[in-house]
Amino acid sequence: MLHPTPEVLWTPSQSFVEKSNLKKYERWLSEEKSLHFSSYQELWKWSTENVGEFWESIWEYFEIINHSYRYKAVLSGEMPRTKWFEGAKLNYAEHVFRKKSSERPALIFKPEGKPHIEISWDQLERDVAAFRSFLLSSGITKGDCVAGFLPNIPETIVAFLATNSIGAIWSCCSPDFGVSTVIDRFAQIEPKLLIATDGYVYNGKKHSRLEEIKEIQKLIPSIRNTVLIPYIEEYTDKSSLPNSYLWQEALLQKTSALEFEPVDFDHPIWVLYSSGTTGKPKAITHSHGGVLLEHLKYMHFHNDVKPGENFFWFTTTGWMMWNFLQASLLAGATAVLFDGSPGYNGLNLLWDFAAKLPIHHFGTSAPFLTACMKAELEPKTEGDLTRLRSIGSTGAPLPPEAFDWVYKSVSKDVWLCSMSGGTDVCTAFVGGVPYAPVLKGNIQGRALGCSLNAIGDEGKPVINSLGEMVIDKPMPSMPIYFWNDLDYKRYTESYFEKFEGSWCHGDWIKVFEDSSLIIQGRSDATLNRKGIRIGTAEIYSVLNKIEGIKDSLIVNLELENGEDFMPLFIVKNQASDLETLSATIRSTLKSECSPRHVPDKIIEVSDLPYTLSGKKMEVPVKKVLMGLKDAKGINDESIRNPDAMRYFNALDVLQLINS
């Protein structure tokens, strides 16, 4: 299918380009390395063809604090066992605190339904030093695991930085996770300490988690002590929790000046987890040094975050974007936290906060922007958003119509940075490029140091054609391993089975001649219709424009007779008539795409299943409907709304096909 040249929605001014962090780095390359580039594409090509030279330039440019005399080599070995900067000794948290300043707060926190508060760098440093002392007095040392059952609040950042400062390993789950979901994750890493709040607040309601904390304590015998943070109540009784301390008690420990334990470059910084919808979640382990270099690179060059700016991302601690949010502190920005429902008293809540604070960089998910579009919000008429410099979007492909909505209803001058990466690398492979225009529906470009291509059927890179997203050169923030996967079996199966020696991420992408690109959905959810591959994002992009559809999910089922069956499941507005809506869907998909894009059947459902991190569950739904064996192990507690999945579990596909 031909794709017309997308509309240009925003073009960076010459001043924007010249003042960007990326241009500053480019000038440094010219002065210090005698490297000169005429375009971003040339710079990107150099960064991917000279991997060692590029990452060493990042090390030098950002003046990484190395506590050893030198490192052996920038990198050695092949993926997935590449070694980086062997011999180097550093600490992530130390690089955070070298940006401390009395001129701006370190953190700004907005709890749902309450005014925001500011936390100074002095206070943050005092609290981190105090909690560090508590950790050491509790017997936590380098290499031990510390687990958080915590919302997105300042105490969580304090706990992470203190854990990081001694070389202990951080891991966190959001407090809305169920007990079995938490156990599936934390039991793998055997934490010695649990930090938890007494509950959480969402959409005006308090949810106590004291009983869940008791269960977690009981079911993970490695937990020696628990720190309880009173959050939903001013005073919380800890007497029912054995070996427990209140947060205030922990901070009263005798405190010395904040120090940082130097660790090897590849020492674990944290453990993140895959969704765990089928089987045990993968415990994805990242390194101090790899995350540090990647976060410095991406936050400065692809988000263009500068000292003194307010950087916000709407996230819970259960999503890797919470971990990525820490990178704003590395850039000297103020990290802006929000805990609660983004729809509390209306979807304007976060936009209103952005106008009043102000927020300079507003990060969120594609579904949130799409929901605002469908609600016909006009944030620019509700407050002053002229100081908003960028909007970041990730979590799913951002449909072209949402691009339009941002420039029509939020700001015509904002830089919209659609990005895509994942828990796997705790960054983005593709995203914002401050030199490039924003094209409707397109991601601006591939990130520096990310040798990514669309690989076609013949196993070679393709342009203007759909292909698998493949990275053929190592990146330092790729996992060092999966926890308890010492032979790299699960790691290799996850990324390296399809293209030997190259990382296959599992997304369908299309890279254009101008180096912009689009992501068309998961490759394992691709709709293979009569030999033609269709990305699910193509379908959703059209459906987003049809009034009356609140949500949708499409799958294509390959049948034993060589045929296929493509049902579309929709959640419609109450006022919409299904028959009329179905006719509109069919005619619109046929005219805007092709007859192959038209579903075989349109079924109304009350809800659609999502993972805890907000991913639409296309692949699990397809597996369930096809009766595949590994579909039977889907864990209810890994699903945000398990009742929605039960509908598909009970669905008779043959009856659906024949009805």
Side-chain angles (χ1 to χ4, degrees):
M1 189 177 77
L2 293 176
H3 288 269
T5 303
E7 178 185 355
V8 175
L9 299 175
W10 176 87
T11 302
S13 67
Q14 190 61 34
S15 173
F16 187 95
V17 171
E18 291 300 321
K19 292 178 180 179
S20 69
N21 291 327
L22 184 59
K23 181 59 72 174
K24 184 180 177 183
Y25 168 65
E26 197 176 339
R27 293 191 192 105
W28 180 87
L29 287 174
S30 175
E31 294 167 3
E32 299 293 328
K33 305 292 183 181
S34 298
L35 292 167
H36 313 285
F37 306 99
S38 62
S39 66
Y40 176 78
Q41 184 58 18
E42 276 192 17
L43 176 59
W44 173 82
K45 187 176 181 183
W46 167 78
S47 76
T48 56
E49 291 181 349
N50 303 273
V51 174
E53 191 178 349
F54 168 69
W55 287 107
E56 189 166 45
S57 80
I58 296 298
W59 179 283
E60 294 173 3
Y61 180 76
F62 287 108
E63 300 177 341
I64 300 302
I65 303 168
N66 182 12
H67 292 270
S68 67
Y69 174 64
R70 60 185 302 173
Y71 47 82
K72 294 178 184 177
V74 175
L75 76 163
S76 61
E78 303 298 321
M79 294 186 290
R81 302 193 186 202
T82 303
K83 293 288 186 180
W84 293 88
F85 294 93
E86 286 185 90
K89 298 277 188 181
L90 44 70
N91 186 281
Y92 185 98
E94 184 173 14
H95 290 80
V96 166
F97 278 96
R98 71 176 176 174
K99 290 293 185 178
K100 67 181 181 181
S101 171
S102 60
E103 296 179 359
R104 55 183 179 269
L107 308 174
I108 295 174
F109 173 50
K110 173 79 170 72
E112 180 190 291
K114 296 180 181 178
H116 73 266
I117 60 172
E118 296 185 354
I119 292 90
S120 70
W121 274 102
D122 282 347
Q123 182 183 339
L124 180 64
E125 186 171 19
R126 284 196 304 271
D127 288 352
V128 170
F131 198 68
R132 181 181 192 274
S133 295
F134 170 80
L135 292 173
L136 293 171
S137 68
S138 301
I140 304 297
T141 59
K142 181 170 72 174
D144 289 338
C145 290
V146 173
F149 188 47
L150 297 164
N152 184 20
I153 59 177
E155 290 87 344
T156 309
I157 289 183
V158 169
F160 159 66
L161 290 173
T163 299
N164 188 270
S165 75
I166 62 174
I169 304 163
W170 177 257
S171 195
C172 199
C173 286
S174 178
D176 56 348
F177 283 18
V179 170
S180 68
T181 301
V182 175
I183 300 301
D184 283 348
R185 287 156 174 76
F186 289 165
Q188 295 185 63
I189 66 171
E190 300 180 8
K192 289 185 178 179
L193 178 73
L194 175 68
I195 309 164
T197 52
D198 56 353
Y200 67 94
V201 178
Y202 194 84
N203 214 22
K205 294 182 180 178
K206 294 180 180 179
H207 301 267
S208 173
R209 303 306 273 171
L210 293 176
E211 292 303 315
E212 285 77 7
I213 295 168
K214 288 181 198 174
E215 281 293 296
I216 293 167
Q217 285 180 319
K218 183 170 66 176
L219 295 172
I220 304 182
S222 63
I223 296 174
R224 298 175 183 173
N225 296 299
T226 298
V227 176
L228 184 65
I229 303 172
Y231 181 51
I232 63 170
E233 303 296 343
E234 189 172 337
Y235 174 78
T236 300
D237 184 5
K238 66 180 176 70
S239 60
S240 63
L241 302 175
N243 302 316
S244 295
Y245 301 83
L246 289 176
W247 178 257
Q248 296 90 330
E249 294 173 330
L251 294 188
L252 289 175
Q253 294 284 318
K254 186 178 179 181
T255 305
S256 56
L258 180 57
E259 297 178 357
F260 305 96
E261 176 72 22
V263 297
D264 290 340
F265 187 96
D266 65 354
H267 184 78
I269 183 172
W270 50 48
V271 180
L272 307 181
Y273 304 92
S274 61
S275 62
T277 51
T278 56
K280 189 171 288 187
K282 294 184 287 264
I284 300 169
T285 311
H286 294 121
S287 71
H288 262 251
V291 168
L292 174 62
L293 292 188
E294 179 59 45
H295 281 188
L296 285 167
K297 179 210 76 178
Y298 200 95
M299 188 62 65
H300 284 84
F301 301 156
H302 299 286
N303 282 130
D304 198 42
V305 176
K306 297 173 181 175
E309 293 186 326
N310 294 328
F311 182 90
F312 167 76
W313 208 287
F314 172 65
T315 182
T316 70
T317 60
W319 189 20
M320 52 77 51
M321 291 309 298
W322 181 87
N323 302 75
F324 182 79
L325 175 66
Q326 313 307 309
S328 60
L329 299 173
L330 294 172
T334 297
V336 180
L337 319 178
F338 171 79
D339 180 57
S341 168
Y344 182 63
N345 288 335
L347 282 171
N348 259 323
L349 172 68
L350 295 181
W351 299 113
D352 182 57
F353 185 41
K356 289 178 178 176
L357 198 56
I359 288 171
H360 301 100
H361 302 274
F362 182 101
T364 185
S365 66
F368 175 77
L369 293 177
T370 303
C372 291
M373 175 190 73
K374 290 186 174 182
E376 299 182 346
L377 294 190
E378 292 282 337
K380 71 179 184 182
T381 65
E382 301 292 328
D384 179 8
L385 292 171
T386 57
R387 289 165 291 182
L388 180 62
R389 288 189 59 221
S390 76
I391 293 176
S393 171
T394 193
L398 186 65
E401 301 70 39
F403 277 73
D404 266 340
W405 176 81
V406 165
Y407 284 99
K408 173 179 172 289
S409 301
V410 181
S411 170
K412 64 181 176 59
D413 299 318
V414 76
W415 176 29
L416 178 55
C417 304
S418 181
M419 59 191 277
S420 181
T423 301
D424 321 80
V425 287
C426 203
T427 187
F429 297 119
V430 297
V433 177
Y435 298 177
V438 172
L439 305 179
K440 180 178 174 179
N442 289 21
I443 295 172
Q444 286 179 293
R446 292 167 282 193
L448 295 180
C450 181
S451 183
L452 177 152
N453 287 289
I455 302 299
D457 292 336
E458 296 182 0
K460 296 180 180 179
V462 293
I463 297 293
N464 297 331
S465 182
L466 204 61
E468 285 269 12
M469 180 193 288
V470 174
I471 296 96
D472 62 10
K473 302 280 180 62
M475 296 171 61
S477 69
M478 287 175 173
I480 43 177
Y481 47 73
F482 292 170
W483 202 270
N484 295 328
D485 181 40
L486 299 181
D487 60 358
Y488 284 74
K489 184 175 184 295
R490 292 189 80 193
Y491 192 166
T492 303
E493 289 173 349
S494 296
Y495 311 115
F496 295 98
E497 275 199 336
K498 192 162 187 177
F499 297 90
E500 187 176 355
S502 293
W503 173 298
C504 182
H505 197 60
D507 284 334
W508 281 122
I509 64 166
K510 189 177 290 186
V511 180
F512 298 107
E513 289 177 358
D514 63 1
S515 296
S516 70
L517 56 103
I518 55 175
I519 296 179
Q520 298 238 295
R522 297 291 298 171
S523 57
D524 47 6
T526 299
L527 314 171
N528 196 338
R529 292 280 275 175
K530 321 301 182 192
I532 302 296
R533 287 196 298 254
I534 301 170
T536 55
E538 281 188 73
I539 304 286
Y540 299 139
S541 178
V542 173
L543 298 180
N544 279 325
K545 294 185 284 189
I546 299 175
E547 288 188 14
I549 301 176
K550 291 174 66 178
D551 203 356
S552 58
L553 184 148
I554 191 158
V555 293
N556 192 53
L557 311 178
E558 293 81 27
L559 307 178
E560 291 181 0
N561 59 4
E563 297 293 315
D564 59 78
F565 175 68
M566 192 167 83
L568 170 66
F569 301 91
I570 64 167
V571 180
K572 68 176 185 63
N573 293 329
Q574 288 185 344
S576 303
D577 173 68
L578 182 61
E579 186 175 347
T580 304
L581 193 56
S582 297
T584 302
I585 290 169
R586 290 191 173 95
S587 63
T588 307
L589 284 170
K590 184 176 181 180
S591 63
E592 294 200 14
C593 297
S594 79
R596 290 188 179 89
H597 290 70
V598 178
D600 294 313
K601 188 151 292 190
I602 299 172
I603 304 102
E604 181 187 357
V605 295
S606 60
D607 199 6
L608 293 170
Y610 282 81
T611 66
L612 294 173
S613 60
K615 306 279 188 182
K616 194 177 294 188
M617 294 176 63
E618 296 164 325
V619 175
V621 166
K622 177 177 179 176
K623 288 181 176 180
V624 163
L625 296 183
M626 292 187 69
L628 299 181
K629 289 182 181 179
D630 61 351
K632 296 178 181 178
I634 294 178
N635 178 2
D636 269 6
E637 290 202 355
S638 68
I639 306 172
R640 190 172 71 189
N641 47 348
D643 285 341
M645 195 65 200
R646 292 190 188 104
Y647 165 83
F648 292 99
N649 287 329
L651 197 60
D652 187 325
V653 176
L654 286 178
Q655 184 179 353
L656 185 65
I657 293 172
N658 296 322
S659 63

